[in-house]
PDB file of all heavy atoms in Angstrom:
ATOM      1  N   TYR E   8      39.136   6.204 -16.448  1.00 56.00           N
ATOM      2  CA  TYR E   8      40.234   6.755 -15.659  1.00 56.00           C
ATOM      3  C   TYR E   8      40.652   8.081 -16.276  1.00 56.00           C
ATOM      4  O   TYR E   8      40.767   8.221 -17.486  1.00 56.00           O
ATOM      5  CB  TYR E   8      41.426   5.798 -15.663  1.00 56.00           C
ATOM      6  CG  TYR E   8      41.126   4.515 -14.947  1.00 56.00           C
ATOM      7  CD1 TYR E   8      40.629   3.418 -15.628  1.00 56.00           C
ATOM      8  CD2 TYR E   8      41.314   4.423 -13.570  1.00 56.00           C
ATOM      9  CE1 TYR E   8      40.330   2.242 -14.962  1.00 56.00           C
ATOM     10  CE2 TYR E   8      41.020   3.242 -12.902  1.00 56.00           C
ATOM     11  CZ  TYR E   8      40.540   2.162 -13.604  1.00 56.00           C
ATOM     12  OH  TYR E   8      40.241   1.003 -12.944  1.00 56.00           O
ATOM     13  N   HIS E   9      40.833   9.062 -15.453  1.00 58.00           N
ATOM     14  CA  HIS E   9      41.316  10.349 -15.923  1.00 58.00           C
ATOM     15  C   HIS E   9      42.666  10.598 -15.277  1.00 58.00           C
ATOM     16  O   HIS E   9      42.902  10.198 -14.154  1.00 58.00           O
ATOM     17  CB  HIS E   9      40.344  11.459 -15.520  1.00 58.00           C
ATOM     18  CG  HIS E   9      39.205  11.590 -16.483  1.00 58.00           C
ATOM     19  ND1 HIS E   9      38.752  12.800 -16.911  1.00 58.00           N
ATOM     20  CD2 HIS E   9      38.452  10.657 -17.103  1.00 58.00           C
ATOM     21  CE1 HIS E   9      37.748  12.613 -17.755  1.00 58.00           C
ATOM     22  NE2 HIS E   9      37.545  11.318 -17.874  1.00 58.00           N
ATOM     23  N   VAL E  10      43.500  11.274 -16.007  1.00 57.00           N
ATOM     24  CA  VAL E  10      44.828  11.564 -15.446  1.00 57.00           C
ATOM     25  C   VAL E  10      44.847  13.031 -15.016  1.00 57.00           C
ATOM     26  O   VAL E  10      44.601  13.927 -15.809  1.00 57.00           O
ATOM     27  CB  VAL E  10      45.935  11.279 -16.479  1.00 57.00           C
ATOM     28  CG1 VAL E  10      47.290  11.623 -15.895  1.00 57.00           C
ATOM     29  CG2 VAL E  10      45.858   9.827 -16.898  1.00 57.00           C
ATOM     30  N   VAL E  11      45.028  13.240 -13.737  1.00 55.00           N
ATOM     31  CA  VAL E  11      45.116  14.596 -13.207  1.00 55.00           C
ATOM     32  C   VAL E  11      46.469  14.748 -12.533  1.00 55.00           C
ATOM     33  O   VAL E  11      46.763  14.025 -11.587  1.00 55.00           O
ATOM     34  CB  VAL E  11      43.987  14.872 -12.194  1.00 55.00           C
ATOM     35  CG1 VAL E  11      44.114  16.269 -11.607  1.00 55.00           C
ATOM     36  CG2 VAL E  11      42.635  14.696 -12.853  1.00 55.00           C
ATOM     37  N   LYS E  12      47.280  15.685 -13.036  1.00 55.00           N
ATOM     38  CA  LYS E  12      48.624  15.930 -12.488  1.00 55.00           C
ATOM     39  C   LYS E  12      49.372  14.608 -12.296  1.00 55.00           C
ATOM     40  O   LYS E  12      49.959  14.348 -11.238  1.00 55.00           O
ATOM     41  CB  LYS E  12      48.524  16.677 -11.158  1.00 55.00           C
ATOM     42  CG  LYS E  12      48.078  18.114 -11.322  1.00 55.00           C
ATOM     43  CD  LYS E  12      48.019  18.784  -9.971  1.00 55.00           C
ATOM     44  CE  LYS E  12      47.472  20.184 -10.113  1.00 55.00           C
ATOM     45  NZ  LYS E  12      47.218  20.832  -8.841  1.00 55.00           N
ATOM     46  N   GLY E  13      49.294  13.758 -13.242  1.00 61.00           N
ATOM     47  CA  GLY E  13      50.062  12.522 -13.202  1.00 61.00           C
ATOM     48  C   GLY E  13      49.435  11.398 -12.406  1.00 61.00           C
ATOM     49  O   GLY E  13      49.919  10.288 -12.409  1.00 61.00           O
ATOM     50  N   TRP E  14      48.325  11.689 -11.674  1.00 61.00           N
ATOM     51  CA  TRP E  14      47.654  10.655 -10.896  1.00 61.00           C
ATOM     52  C   TRP E  14      46.442  10.137 -11.660  1.00 61.00           C
ATOM     53  O   TRP E  14      45.736  10.896 -12.293  1.00 61.00           O
ATOM     54  CB  TRP E  14      47.174  11.214  -9.548  1.00 61.00           C
ATOM     55  CG  TRP E  14      48.307  11.537  -8.615  1.00 61.00           C
ATOM     56  CD1 TRP E  14      48.958  12.720  -8.515  1.00 61.00           C
ATOM     57  CD2 TRP E  14      48.912  10.648  -7.693  1.00 61.00           C
ATOM     58  NE1 TRP E  14      49.943  12.660  -7.576  1.00 61.00           N
ATOM     59  CE2 TRP E  14      49.952  11.375  -7.051  1.00 61.00           C
ATOM     60  CE3 TRP E  14      48.710   9.309  -7.344  1.00 61.00           C
ATOM     61  CZ2 TRP E  14      50.775  10.812  -6.088  1.00 61.00           C
ATOM     62  CZ3 TRP E  14      49.526   8.764  -6.375  1.00 61.00           C
ATOM     63  CH2 TRP E  14      50.541   9.506  -5.750  1.00 61.00           C
ATOM     64  N   VAL E  15      46.235   8.858 -11.543  1.00 62.00           N
ATOM     65  CA  VAL E  15      45.056   8.288 -12.206  1.00 62.00           C
ATOM     66  C   VAL E  15      43.849   8.471 -11.285  1.00 62.00           C
ATOM     67  O   VAL E  15      43.871   8.036 -10.141  1.00 62.00           O
ATOM     68  CB  VAL E  15      45.260   6.784 -12.505  1.00 62.00           C
ATOM     69  CG1 VAL E  15      43.974   6.181 -13.077  1.00 62.00           C
ATOM     70  CG2 VAL E  15      46.419   6.607 -13.467  1.00 62.00           C
ATOM     71  N   VAL E  16      42.852   9.186 -11.799  1.00 65.00           N
ATOM     72  CA  VAL E  16      41.652   9.433 -10.996  1.00 65.00           C
ATOM     73  C   VAL E  16      40.500   8.639 -11.601  1.00 65.00           C
ATOM     74  O   VAL E  16      40.237   8.725 -12.793  1.00 65.00           O
ATOM     75  CB  VAL E  16      41.291  10.938 -10.979  1.00 65.00           C
ATOM     76  CG1 VAL E  16      40.031  11.165 -10.156  1.00 65.00           C
ATOM     77  CG2 VAL E  16      42.451  11.733 -10.420  1.00 65.00           C
ATOM     78  N   GLU E  17      39.850   7.892 -10.748  1.00 84.00           N
ATOM     79  CA  GLU E  17      38.774   7.024 -11.244  1.00 84.00           C
ATOM     80  C   GLU E  17      37.490   7.824 -11.451  1.00 84.00           C
ATOM     81  O   GLU E  17      37.137   8.658 -10.637  1.00 84.00           O
ATOM     82  CB  GLU E  17      38.535   5.929 -10.217  1.00 84.00           C
ATOM     83  CG  GLU E  17      37.807   4.746 -10.778  1.00 84.00           C
ATOM     84  CD  GLU E  17      37.776   3.621  -9.772  1.00 84.00           C
ATOM     85  OE1 GLU E  17      38.847   3.243  -9.266  1.00 84.00           O
ATOM     86  OE2 GLU E  17      36.673   3.144  -9.500  1.00 84.00           O
ATOM     87  N   MET E  18      36.811   7.501 -12.554  1.00 90.00           N
ATOM     88  CA  MET E  18      35.518   8.127 -12.820  1.00 90.00           C
ATOM     89  C   MET E  18      34.453   7.316 -12.094  1.00 90.00           C
ATOM     90  O   MET E  18      34.344   6.118 -12.290  1.00 90.00           O
ATOM     91  CB  MET E  18      35.260   8.107 -14.326  1.00 90.00           C
ATOM     92  CG  MET E  18      34.211   9.074 -14.757  1.00 90.00           C
ATOM     93  SD  MET E  18      34.616  10.769 -14.352  1.00 90.00           S
ATOM     94  CE  MET E  18      36.108  10.997 -15.306  1.00 90.00           C
ATOM     95  N   ILE E  19      33.703   7.990 -11.253  1.00 94.00           N
ATOM     96  CA  ILE E  19      32.707   7.262 -10.438  1.00 94.00           C
ATOM     97  C   ILE E  19      31.355   7.212 -11.148  1.00 94.00           C
ATOM     98  O   ILE E  19      30.713   6.173 -11.209  1.00 94.00           O
ATOM     99  CB  ILE E  19      32.568   7.935  -9.057  1.00 94.00           C
ATOM    100  CG1 ILE E  19      33.875   7.836  -8.284  1.00 94.00           C
ATOM    101  CG2 ILE E  19      31.417   7.333  -8.260  1.00 94.00           C
ATOM    102  CD1 ILE E  19      34.185   6.474  -7.719  1.00 94.00           C
TER     103      ILE E  19
END
Side-chain angles (χ1 to χ4, degrees):
Chain E
Y8 294 92
H9 276 223
V10 178
V11 178
K12 289 181 184 172
W14 291 90
V15 175
V16 179
E17 199 172 307
M18 198 60 62
I19 296 285

